[in-house]
């Protein structure tokens, strides 16, 4: 292997937060097939437990895992509710969970990423193609993408940060198809390739769109 390639070989230590979800499972499977050492973390399952809404829980997670070569987040939920009936409490769900949860992982996790490593967050198609009842999802996804683009300019130690923005997953259509009329979809296995690109590539501050 060429000596100038950094962090593209096997045996990187990668933590995947949100590993129990449909997308998280696909990402874990893909990265494991590449030979990486994967630590899975979720709220209720996996090798580690973490609540991304809580600083202490995230700090405890990284205290247990130690330093890693990459942090991947496929975690977070949003509210699907028409604007006319959206309450501030419902809107805060997406802000506190998917938005601040992933930002929290990046801010706290930064101290545990090895030099030349990476952080990859997850947004989604609604950040660029709004849907009915999706105002919370659109706001959250665009907020995360703005965070990634600005944070990339300040990260130390050659650490990179990107976001992956997939279309609705094919495997999730039984639950989400009514929200995405006329949309295509993308298989989890295909979306997972974008996380490899973020981890093993050289780009930073990017939003990798998948399936749209």
């Amino acid at each position: 292997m060429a000596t100038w390639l950094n962090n593209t070989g096997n045996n990187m230590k990668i933590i995947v937060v949100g590993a129990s979800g449909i997308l998280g499972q696909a990402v874990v499977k893909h990265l494991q097939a590449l030979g990486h050492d994967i630590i899975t973390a979720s709220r209720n399952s996996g090798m580690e437990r973490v609540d991304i809404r809580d600083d202490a829980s995230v700090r405890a997670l990284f205290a247990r895992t130690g330093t890693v070569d990459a942090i991947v987040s496929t975690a977070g939920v949003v509210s699907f509710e028409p604007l006319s009936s959206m309450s501030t409490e419902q809107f805060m769900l997406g802000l506190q969970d998917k938005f601040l949860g992933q930002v929290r992982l990046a801010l706290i996790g930064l101290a545990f990423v090895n030099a030349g490593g990476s952080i990859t967050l997850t947004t989604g198609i609604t950040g660029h193609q709004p849907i009915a009842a999706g105002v919370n999802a659109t706001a959250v996804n665009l907020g995360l993408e703005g965070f990634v683009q600005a944070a990339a300019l300040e990260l130390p130690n050659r650490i990179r940060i990107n976001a992956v923005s997939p279309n609705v997953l094919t495997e999730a259509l039984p639950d989400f198809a009514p929200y995405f009329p006329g949309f295509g979809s993308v298989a989890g296995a295909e979306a997972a390739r974008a996380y490899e690109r973020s981890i093993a590539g050289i780009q930073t501050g990017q939003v990798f769109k998948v399936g749209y």
Side-chain angles (χ1 to χ4, degrees), residues 126-202:
T126 55
H128 302 271
Q129 298 184 20
I131 59 173
V135 64
N136 188 233
T138 296
V140 166
N141 288 334
L142 286 177
L144 284 166
E145 292 178 8
F147 171 77
V148 163
Q149 291 163 0
L153 303 175
E154 297 191 40
L155 293 183
N157 302 321
R158 297 179 292 108
I159 296 171
R160 298 173 300 100
I161 184 169
N162 296 299
V164 174
S165 176
N167 199 345
V168 60
L169 296 183
T170 303
E171 296 90 335
L173 285 178
D175 293 322
F176 288 97
Y179 293 98
F180 295 89
F183 281 65
S185 65
V186 64
E190 180 63 23
R193 292 165 58 93
Y195 293 85
E196 177 191 358
R197 180 180 177 187
S198 178
I199 293 166
I202 64 172

Side-chain angles (χ1 to χ4, degrees), residues 51-73:
D51 184 348
I52 63 173
R53 300 167 298 182
D54 181 69
D55 278 17
S57 180
V58 173
R59 293 186 188 280
L61 169 68
F62 288 112
R64 295 191 301 270
T65 64
T67 58
V68 296
D69 297 304
I71 297 170
V72 171
S73 173

Side-chain angles (χ1 to χ4, degrees), residues 16-28 41-43 45 74-75 169 171:
V16 179
V17 179
S20 64
I22 294 173
L23 179 57
Q25 291 180 55
V27 171
V28 168
S42 293
R43 194 166 296 167
S45 62
T74 60
L169 296 183
E171 296 90 335

Side-chain angles (χ1 to χ4, degrees), residues 1-2 13 37 40 60 76 106 111 190:
M1 179 177 294
K13 182 180 178 183
D37 179 14
T40 59
E190 180 63 23

